[in-house]
């Protein structure tokens, strides 16, 4: 909201600089977002002397003048009849902007003479309506100084962000009231001259439902003359950023910005009856507002009607059909109090907000409607003439006065410091609370414009706000509590660290994704947002894959050819049909996804280029789970055929499926416009978290030597290494500490359909050095079982005895 | 002969022979003589089997030592003669790059969350998280947003069903934490939140917050200031100047926003601080009694403070990022710029 500094001065004496006022306003919760002033508009406009003035050689009316604005003489063509040599004038240099018209002053030739600027009239400067000639300043005006200083055009305005609880501060008097409390300076209310006593009813008014409108005050003024507003009124409304329209409309806006009461003026001759009916809009009812738009109204919107038709959308905007025009001679001024909730709903539904709806939504002061009428009548009769011929005031709900008790001790309990009761009293009284102090407790009658004050805590906030938050002490010491552990987040952090350590880059991508991607995954139960502003991405991601693939695709197009990325994020799946959707039917799971594409090894002096393959991802995941100490709990499984060409594995933990890793299909790659292989894995992180290792224990190591035996077998192609290793492990040989795969290769000597698999057995005892006999027994057992189970034949054996410590 | 004496002699012999090795051929001879399958040491191991059980351990130990010494001397000699000539015959280009491992990068947002939460953890806070889809009760009602109140307009909401929405702030986690626990509660709540707006350089439909909550007896606004000043000094540096100014949030009363001197212009005023010289870093306040009533806490007994920090804004200011969209586009040329030692 815009608040003009000179206007504020009508209600409180402010000698502080605009910056000081701004910082006070901000410190009491009326945040000044910007300080704007008309200085900017006066830039390049200075006080100058007319050095010479001669008639224009090619014109009877024009003069050719030389002026000095402190930067040397300039030639200017001037058309004003009153320009004379030696005058002090206001000179707009080339490049400046004429304040009234907003036109730029250009260097231009006027009838053969080059004019370098412009001597201004008071009209052009926006001071008054006088455009009969140039403005002539006092003889002693300081040459070359900025014109706004000489003209006292310090029209500073503050752009204030008013929080939604402070409907009372949406006016100059409201802001001045807060300032008066901080500065302990009196607030001056204007005193209306017009007396409402002794008038008959303006017109019949009927309010159908008290919920719509708690008070409707109106005045009928006849014999008005619609004119442009006088300079002071126009300046006032323009200073708060409104467009000046005419003396009647400007008056209603002026009063709204003075006291916060929105008003509306009807052309009385356009009202049937004339009478007023306030009623709720029916379903589908249509109405054309002042802005010329025909709107379908939501049911229940407040409609102001005359004897036969709607004439205004109550609290929001007037209608085209009853608008003030230049021929208007009789007006009906409305000053009412409309329901905040209904106003807000209607305004939201229609996407139509106005200065008026903004104030009604936040609550206005119903006790001020008549006062506002009186103020408007004073200004209208001054500027438009006319006389009042009727006053009406219908109250459907009386204002109820709230009383809230404040125990000063609770002030200290909340704020943490002692506030003097005397200071509390002063603050509340300046804010227009009425106080009864009983046994040290303040019983505060809340003024009707403060609908935000209902409880003691609200009063405590007022005390804190006006005393200044700076007065609240900052303790030097803090107490600590023993904090409970926070496992979820700690585990997610550990996963993030593990993935980064494995060389993956973390990405964070949008939760909302495009429909074509959301439905590309075979997942059921995709959830869509009902009201997205951005309709391109309405779906909550059911998997991290779409955003991971978008990232891959985008980066490949940027010329990055190798990506190792991961993301940790929430995915959403609804287990119920959308009409039965509930909080409990929605699964919100934390997932982790990995993607690899490009090259495991770049070409370099020590290696050849090697593209990533499936086993790079499998290996990195193994490393990842090892970082989490879960490598022994995770199992890689596949469904279907052995040794199939499909590159996919599922992951399990303790028999529960975690997710899978795979090479993405052509179909998926095409969807994201990716033309190189991508390896992708996604897991349920919440499930993994349940198996996290929390108790680490020391295990003693053997003091005796470890013996290794390498064995290679020729086996049929369909034998898988995993099966061999699992089988050997399942033998449960105590001294067989480890079995690992060494290599797999094929050679024509082994015969078609066969391959060689080499494994290494590591053997060790905790109690003695193994004898050759013990070692040979193990090797024999293993060889025999492998040969039997897998139709294998032993090819070779080698042994190494590693030194032990014994 | 006493076997121990013999072993002593052997030890000296090994050392002397080793000293005289002057070629690879000498080294091989040394190996054959002492270490081979039929070498002196192997023979002695064999001979050891004849000894008394009482002598075996001592002799075995000594033999093992000798074998290790001989093996070491042999390896050293071999290395000397194998590698020695290579150095002189082929010059090594020591400017060749070393073999590196890929470096992973943390995202700016999760990093900023980690830094902020770590500071609060050091002050005795714990971490709590909550769902991203929330009910009206948790997101608004329990937080003292009455239906149809203009305060709801501050947060344009994505609805996904009757009564269900994407949370517009992490504050609902406060309600869940208070429902599931009892005072003292001292937590920070990081997470992703959503606003149904048009995406631009300055605002996004998703961003992250860290909320904080401390509820106990005798918690005051002064404690709030103390904690947040301590946080700001840790995060922004001890020299900073700050101010608290009144604001409005439905779930706190009194409410405040904390500003610090703009660290880009030192408070003189610049484009980033909109010429005010101040940067808003967080919102905070004392927990509104209505919030306590919503979770059945007695507001006459307990007081508390709450705060909320916008992560994107914090990170963008710190790293000089002027377009929020960059943060979720994942251009790795940008993500990879950020490495925190
Ligand atoms: Zn700045």
């Amino acid at each position: 909201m815009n608040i003009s500094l000179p206007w504020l001065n009508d209600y409180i004496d402010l000698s502080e600089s605009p910056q000081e006022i701004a910082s006070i306003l901000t410190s009491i919760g009326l945040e000044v977002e910007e300080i704007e002033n008309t200085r900017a508009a006066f830039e390049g406009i200075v006080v100058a002397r007319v050095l010479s003035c001669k008639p224009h050689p090619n014109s009877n009316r024009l003069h050719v003048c030389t002026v000095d604005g402190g930067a040397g003489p300039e030639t200017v063509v001037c058309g004003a009849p009153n320009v004379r040599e030696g005058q002090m004038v206001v000179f707009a240099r080339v490049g400046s902007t004429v304040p009234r018209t907003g036109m730029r002053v250009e260097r231009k030739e006027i009838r053969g003479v080059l004019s370098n600027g412009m001597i201004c009239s008071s009209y052009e400067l926006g001071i008054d309506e006088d455009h009969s000639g140039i403005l002539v300043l006092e003889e002693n005006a300081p040459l070359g100084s900025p014109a706004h200083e000489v003209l006292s055009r310090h029209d500073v305005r503050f752009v204030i962000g008013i929080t939604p609880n402070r409907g009372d501060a949406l006016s100059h008097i409201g802001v001045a009231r807060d300032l008066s409390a901080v500065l302990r300076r009196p607030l001056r209310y204007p005193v209306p001259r017009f007396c409402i006593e002794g008038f008959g009813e303006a017109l019949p008014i009927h309010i159908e439902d008290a919920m719509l409108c708690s008070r409707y005050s109106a005045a009928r003024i006849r014999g008005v003359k619609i004119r442009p507003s006088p300079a002071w009124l126009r300046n006032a409304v323009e200073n708060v950023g409104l467009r000046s329209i005419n003396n009647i409309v400007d008056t209603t806006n002026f009063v709204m910005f003075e006291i916060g009461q929105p008003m509306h003026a009807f052309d009385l001759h356009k009202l049937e009856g004339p009478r007023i009916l306030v009623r709720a809009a029916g379903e589908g009812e249509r109405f054309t507002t002042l802005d010329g738009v025909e709107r379908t109204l939501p049911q229940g919107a407040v409609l102001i009607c005359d004897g036969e038709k709607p004439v205004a959308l109550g609290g929001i905007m007037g209608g085209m059909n009853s608008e003030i025009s230049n021929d208007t001679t009789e007006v009906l001024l409305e000053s009412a109090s409309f329901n905040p909730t209904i106003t807000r709903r209607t305004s939201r539904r229609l996407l139509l907000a106005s200065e008026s709806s903004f104030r009604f939504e936040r609550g206005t002061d119903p006790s001020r409607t008549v006062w506002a009428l009186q103020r408007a009548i004073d200004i209208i009769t001054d500027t438009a003439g006319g006389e009042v011929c009727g006053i009406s005031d219908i109250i459907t709900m009386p204002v109820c006065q709230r009383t809230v008790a404040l125990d000063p001790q609770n002030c200290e309990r909340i704020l943490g410091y002692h506030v003097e009761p005397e200071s509390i009293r002063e603050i509340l009284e300046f804010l227009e609370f009425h106080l009864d102090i009983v046994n040290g407790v303040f019983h505060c009658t809340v003024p009707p414009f403060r609908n935000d004050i209902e409880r003691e805590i609200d009063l405590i906030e007022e005390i804190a706000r006006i005393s200044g938050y700076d007065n609240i002490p900052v303790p030097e010491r803090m107490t600590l509590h023993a904090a409970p552990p926070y496992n979820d987040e700690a585990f997610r952090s550990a996963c993030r660290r593990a993935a980064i350590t494995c060389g993956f880059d973390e990405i964070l991508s949008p939760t909302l994704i495009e429909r074509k991607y959301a439905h590309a995954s075979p997942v059921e139960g995709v959830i869509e947002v009902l009201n997205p502003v951005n309709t391109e991405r309405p779906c909550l991601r059911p998997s991290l894959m779409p955003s991971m693939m978008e990232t891959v695709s985008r980066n490949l197009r940027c010329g990055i050819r190798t990506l190792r990325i991961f993301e940790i994020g929430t995915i959403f799946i609804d287990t119920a049909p959308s009409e039965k959707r509930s909080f409990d039917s929605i699964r919100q799971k934390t997932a982790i996804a990995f993607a690899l594409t490009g090259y495991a090894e770049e070409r370099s002096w020590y290696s050849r280029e090697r593209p990533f393959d499936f086993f790079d991802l499998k290996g990195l995941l193994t490393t990842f789970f090892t970082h989490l100490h879960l490598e022994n709990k995770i199992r890689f499984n596949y469904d279907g055929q052995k040794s199939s060409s499909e590159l996919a594995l599922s992951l399990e933990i303790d028999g529960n499926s975690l997710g899978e890793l795979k090479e993405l299909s052509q179909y998926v790659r095409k969807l994201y416009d990716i033309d190189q292989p991508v390896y992708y894995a996604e897991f349920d992180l919440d499930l993994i978290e349940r198996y996290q290792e929390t108790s680490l224990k020391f295990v003693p190591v053997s003091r005796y030597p470890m013996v290794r035996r390498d064995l290679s077998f020729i086996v049929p192609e369909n034998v898988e290494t995993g099966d061999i290793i699992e089988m050997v492990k399942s033998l449960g040989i105590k001294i067989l500490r480890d079995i690992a795969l060494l290599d797999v290769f094929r050679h024509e000597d082994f015969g078609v359909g066969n391959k060689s698999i080499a494994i290494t057995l590591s053997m060790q005892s905790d109690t003695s050095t193994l004898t050759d006999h013990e070692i040979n027994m193990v090797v024999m057992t293993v060889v025999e079982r492998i040969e039997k189970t897998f139709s294998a034949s032993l090819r070779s054996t080698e042994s190494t005895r590693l030194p032990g410590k014994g | 002969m006493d076997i121990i004496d013999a072993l002593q002699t052997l030890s000296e012999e090994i050392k002397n022979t080793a000293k005289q090795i002057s070629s690879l051929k000498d080294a091989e001879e040394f190996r054959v003589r002492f270490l081979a399958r039929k070498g002196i040491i192997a023979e002695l191991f064999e001979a050891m089997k004849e000894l008394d059980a009482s002598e075996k351990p001592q002799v075995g130990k000594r033999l093992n030592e000798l074998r290790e010494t001989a093996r070491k001397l042999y390896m050293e000699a071999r290395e000397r003669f194998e590698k020695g000539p290579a150095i002189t015959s082929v010059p090594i280009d020591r400017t060749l790059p070393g073999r590196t491992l890929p470096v992973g990068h943390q995202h700016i947002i999760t990093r900023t969350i980690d830094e902020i939460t770590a500071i609060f953890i050091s002050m005795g806070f714990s971490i709590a998280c909550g769902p991203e889809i929330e009910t009206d009760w948790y997101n608004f009602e329990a937080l003292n947003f009455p239906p149809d109140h203009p305060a709801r307009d501050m947060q344009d909401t994505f609805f996904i069903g009757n009564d269900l929405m994407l949370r517009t702030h992490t504050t609902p986690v406060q309600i869940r934490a208070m429902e599931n626990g009892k005072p003292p509660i001292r937590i920070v709540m990081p997470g992703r939140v959503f606003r149904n707006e048009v995406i631009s350089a300055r605002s996004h439909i998703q961003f992250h917050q860290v909320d904080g909550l401390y509820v106990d007896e005798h918690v005051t606004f002064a404690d709030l200031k103390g904690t947040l000043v301590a946080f700001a000094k840790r995060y922004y540096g001890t020299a900073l100047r700050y101010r608290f100014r009144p604001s409005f949030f439905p779930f706190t009363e009194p409410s405040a926003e904390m500003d610090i001197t703009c660290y880009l212009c030192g408070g003189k005023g610049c484009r980033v601080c909109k010429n005010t010289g101040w940067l808003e870093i967080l919102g905070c306040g004392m927990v509104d009694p209505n919030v306590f009533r919503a979770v059945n806490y007695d507001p006459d007994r307990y007081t508390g403070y709450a705060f909320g920090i916008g992560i994107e804004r914090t990170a963008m200011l710190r790293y000089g990022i002027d377009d929020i969209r960059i943060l979720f586009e994942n251009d790795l040329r940008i993500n990879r710029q950020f490495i925190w030692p």
Side-chain angles (χ1 to χ4, degrees), chain B residues 91-151:
Chain B
I92 291 178
D93 177 0
R94 280 166 295 179
T95 64
L96 284 174
R99 298 180 178 94
T100 57
L101 289 174
V103 173
H105 299 78
Q106 187 171 7
H107 194 277
I108 301 165
I109 292 303
T110 62
R111 167 71 186 192
T112 306
I113 290 172
D114 284 354
E115 286 173 340
I116 289 171
T117 51
I119 294 173
F120 286 105
I121 286 165
S122 77
M123 296 194 279
F125 284 74
S126 192
I127 299 184
C129 293
E132 290 174 17
I133 291 177
E134 270 295 6
T135 61
D136 188 77
W137 167 257
Y138 286 104
N139 197 73
F140 287 129
E141 194 91 41
L143 290 168
N144 197 31
F145 284 82
D148 283 310
H149 192 270

Side-chain angles (χ1 to χ4, degrees), chain B residues 54-73:
Chain B
S54 62
E55 282 181 306
K56 269 185 190 169
Q58 203 197 348
V59 174
K61 184 168 173 267
R62 185 75 186 121
L63 268 176
N64 268 325
E65 283 169 10
L66 277 179
R67 187 172 57 186
E68 269 317 293
T69 313
R71 195 202 299 269
K72 227 163 93 188
L73 287 168

Side-chain angles (χ1 to χ4, degrees), chain B residues 230-281:
Chain B
F231 158 73
K233 287 190 169 176
R234 280 274 284 280
Y235 193 74
Y236 293 100
T238 47
L240 99 169
R241 289 194 300 124
Y242 60 87
R243 72 177 185 194
F244 286 81
R245 62 186 158 74
S247 186
F248 171 73
F249 307 105
F251 40 90
T252 52
E253 184 90 345
S255 304
E257 276 171 307
M258 183 180 183
D259 297 338
I260 59 169
T261 323
C262 175
Y263 47 79
L264 296 158
C265 63
K268 285 197 281 292
C270 67
R271 192 180 57 86
V272 174
C273 60
K274 290 190 204 151
N275 287 315
T276 59
W278 294 98
L279 291 174
E280 178 194 325
I281 58 164

Side-chain angles (χ1 to χ4, degrees), chain A residues 152-196:
Chain A
S152 305
R153 302 294 290 175
H154 289 278
D155 287 350
V156 171
R157 80 170 170 225
F158 303 115
V159 181
I160 304 183
I162 303 277
T163 52
N165 56 329
R166 293 297 308 279
D168 67 290
L170 293 170
S171 68
H172 284 78
I173 288 178
V175 171
R177 183 188 302 118
D178 266 17
L179 284 172
S180 84
V182 191
L183 300 168
R184 309 285 205 267
R185 228 172 262 173
L187 178 67
R188 282 190 305 269
Y189 275 94
V191 182
R193 298 191 312 266
F194 177 76
C195 175
I196 57 161

Side-chain angles (χ1 to χ4, degrees), chain A residues 344-345 413-414 455 458 469 472 480-481 484 505-506 509 511 530-531 533 554-555 570 581 588, chain B residues 105 107 110 126 132-133 148 153 159-160 192 196 206 214 221 225 253 255 288 300 329 332 336:
Chain A
R344 175 172 180 274
R345 268 191 214 155
R413 175 173 171 263
I414 297 291
R455 308 161 300 167
D458 302 324
Y469 283 5
I472 299 172
L480 283 181
H481 294 271
D505 292 327
E506 184 180 29
S509 51
T511 295
L530 302 176
N531 61 333
V533 168
R554 180 178 300 124
N555 280 283
T570 313
R581 175 172 298 161
Q588 308 189 46
Chain B
H105 299 78
H107 194 277
T110 62
S126 192
E132 290 174 17
I133 291 177
D148 283 310
D153 291 352
F159 291 98
I160 60 155
R192 180 174 290 192
N196 197 0
Q206 67 176 34
Y214 177 29
F221 203 129
K225 276 182 80 173
E253 184 90 345
S255 304
D288 194 287
D300 292 328
E329 275 169 2
L332 293 182
R336 286 174 181 167

